Amino acid sequence: KQWYQRRVRGPSVTEKKRKKSQGALSRHSIIIEPPKICTAWDPHNHAELISTRSETSSIHSELSVESYVELDEKALTKINYIVTELINTEKTYMQDLQDIVTGYMVPMEDLFEPSVVRDIFINIKPIGDFHLNFLEKLDEYKKELDMLAACFTSRESEEGFALYNEFCRKVPRSLDLISGMMKDPQTLQFIQDCKQQLNHFFPLSEFIHRPIQRILKYPLLLRDLQKYTAGTKYSACIDAALDKITGVAIHINKVKRVQELETHEILGWTGEPLLEYGILKLEQAFKVNGTDGRYLFLFEKLLLFTKQKDGKYQYKAHLLPSDIGMTEGDSKDCKFEIDKFKEKKKT
């Protein structure tokens, strides 16, 4: 079963034509039913998996010292709190994903080209599919720390968290489209109506950031678990879970760093999007012959030369890996030299 339901009734073809001929989208051109919890979330009808934003349920009473024989009462109390927060915030996140799909994406499918909808919402549905199963696993193993930690290290989770790489990479394009849409009065009114029906305070552009915010939250929660399980038989599995999700978070932060550079800091670059050249490996000031110094950005497939200027970086030159030549430096201050590779002429 799907984790969302089609709760939106779009206008009929006749109504669309009539509205188009009027040259504007009416405030009531679509009908969006008030958001409600999707009963299809849990195929086994376990009520504890169905959560609302106001839920304050606790699993403290379900855990006992006997469950974790190596933990004292103080550590157990802290762990109870952390696991409760992990599960309840995961439920809230699932509700956010459901609202994005049913409150915005589905109505837009009736009014905009499929390619536009895909560019705005990227792979939000596959992410929701993954997190439905992930939430069920967390809830199932909330009394077993080793199994709960394994939820983060399984092959299924590795594939699920990998979905965030594509999502993070395409978010700038999504936000640009949303910004452009908001300049059109009819579309602006349509999006505001969707927001009002969902009773949301934050705009759509803010909700597009939810997946990134969530993935960066996991390391913080697991780091807290690591603190209170140190030296116990659970420490190894918690460490493994933290290492796995930290790697995902680091990669996403690197992608965000490249996006920030391209959008706000590097001036004058007119080539392909920098993410096309891979993740940023190094950024540092270097001495460059004939200049007063350059700030270099080393990507997986590009070496970018810039000059620092008023807190930003002015593009000066670049080299592709196939063009880079490297020789050993001739002094303590120069460990190595790089220059543009020149192919020897054949005689």
Side-chain angles (χ1 to χ4, degrees):
K1 295 182 181 180
Q2 291 178 320
W3 53 274
Y4 63 92
Q5 290 177 325
R6 188 179 179 86
R7 297 199 303 259
V8 180
R9 178 172 65 81
S12 64
V13 175
T14 303
E15 186 179 7
K16 284 183 180 179
K17 291 181 179 179
R18 178 172 59 81
K19 296 299 179 182
K20 185 175 182 180
S21 65
Q22 293 175 347
L25 284 173
S26 168
R27 181 179 180 82
H28 304 290
S29 60
I30 65 168
I31 299 175
I32 306 177
E33 297 178 8
K36 56 187 177 183
I37 298 302
C38 176
T39 56
W41 273 19
D42 178 25
H44 304 295
N45 295 320
H46 288 177
E48 66 267 24
L49 284 183
I50 309 305
S51 169
T52 64
R53 295 182 189 280
S54 61
E55 180 180 12
T56 57
S57 63
S58 170
I59 62 172
H60 288 193
S61 61
E62 300 185 21
L63 297 178
S64 64
V65 176
E66 287 74 18
S67 300
Y68 304 114
V69 293
E70 296 186 44
L71 302 172
D72 58 30
E73 287 284 355
K74 181 179 179 180
L76 183 62
T77 300
K78 295 292 186 180
I79 291 171
N80 280 330
Y81 178 84
I82 297 165
V83 173
T84 299
E85 183 179 2
L86 172 62
I87 294 176
N88 283 347
T89 54
E90 187 72 13
K91 291 177 180 180
T92 300
Y93 177 50
M94 276 301 303
Q95 182 65 63
D96 287 341
L97 295 179
Q98 186 185 20
D99 286 351
I100 291 171
V101 171
T102 58
Y104 290 104
M105 184 175 178
V106 174
M108 286 185 174
E109 287 175 343
D110 293 329
L111 299 173
F112 297 97
E113 292 294 327
S115 59
V116 174
V117 177
R118 284 195 303 271
D119 286 345
I120 292 176
F121 298 99
I122 317 172
N123 58 348
I124 202 78
K125 282 186 179 179
I127 287 176
D129 292 337
F130 161 66
H131 277 277
L132 170 62
N133 183 68
F134 187 65
L135 172 58
E136 291 174 342
K137 293 296 184 183
L138 291 178
D139 190 79
E140 179 180 356
Y141 298 123
K142 61 190 176 187
K143 294 190 288 184
E144 304 173 59
L145 275 183
D146 52 348
M147 296 300 294
L148 184 132
C151 293
F152 290 88
T153 58
S154 67
R155 174 177 288 274
E156 185 180 43
S157 292
E158 183 177 355
E159 294 173 353
F161 290 132
L163 294 170
Y164 285 85
N165 295 335
E166 177 185 358
F167 185 87
C168 185
R169 191 170 64 251
K170 295 181 178 180
V171 160
R173 168 64 175 163
S174 171
L175 296 177
D176 285 345
L177 284 172
I178 293 173
S179 178
M181 286 180 168
M182 300 298 276
K183 296 177 182 178
D184 176 71
Q186 288 79 31
T187 305
L188 173 61
Q189 184 62 61
F190 166 76
I191 293 177
Q192 287 179 338
D193 287 347
C194 292
K195 175 175 172 285
Q196 183 178 4
Q197 289 289 344
L198 288 170
N199 196 27
H200 281 178
F201 176 77
F202 296 106
L204 173 59
S205 57
E206 177 69 20
F207 266 83
I208 292 296
H209 282 104
R210 282 290 191 268
I212 297 175
Q213 293 170 346
R214 182 57 184 170
I215 203 71
L216 297 178
K217 176 72 173 178
Y218 293 125
L220 302 179
L221 292 169
L222 288 176
R223 200 168 290 120
D224 287 340
L225 278 179
Q226 183 186 52
K227 176 181 178 181
Y228 293 106
T229 58
T232 71
K233 67 178 182 180
Y234 307 104
S235 59
C237 58
I238 297 296
D239 290 348
L242 180 58
D243 288 345
K244 180 69 70 172
I245 200 65
T246 298
V248 175
I250 289 174
H251 180 82
I252 288 176
N253 278 326
K254 287 182 178 180
V255 171
K256 290 176 62 180
R257 173 58 179 155
V258 175
Q259 291 170 341
E260 291 170 359
L261 285 172
E262 187 165 25
T263 306
H264 304 293
E265 299 182 35
I266 295 181
L267 308 176
W269 171 252
T270 57
E272 295 292 325
L274 291 177
L275 279 175
E276 296 295 324
Y277 298 99
I279 296 300
L280 182 66
K281 294 294 187 179
L282 175 70
E283 53 176 302
Q284 189 173 328
F286 285 86
K287 295 180 179 179
V288 178
N289 291 337
T291 73
D292 54 356
R294 291 288 182 262
Y295 200 89
L296 273 58
F297 295 92
L298 177 62
F299 298 85
E300 292 174 316
K301 302 176 183 178
L302 177 73
L303 179 59
L304 201 64
F305 295 80
T306 68
K307 180 179 179 180
Q308 288 182 285
K309 182 180 179 180
D310 299 328
K312 297 186 181 296
Y313 305 93
Q314 180 65 49
Y315 165 75
K316 289 297 183 180
H318 70 276
L319 290 174
L320 298 176
S322 58
D323 298 329
I324 295 177
M326 181 178 293
T327 57
E328 185 176 354
D330 55 4
S331 67
K332 293 182 179 180
D333 295 331
C334 181
K335 302 297 183 181
F336 64 90
E337 295 180 355
I338 58 174
D339 54 20
K340 187 170 184 179
F341 176 79
K342 297 179 180 179
E343 186 177 0
K344 294 182 179 180
K345 295 182 179 181
K346 296 182 180 180
T347 57

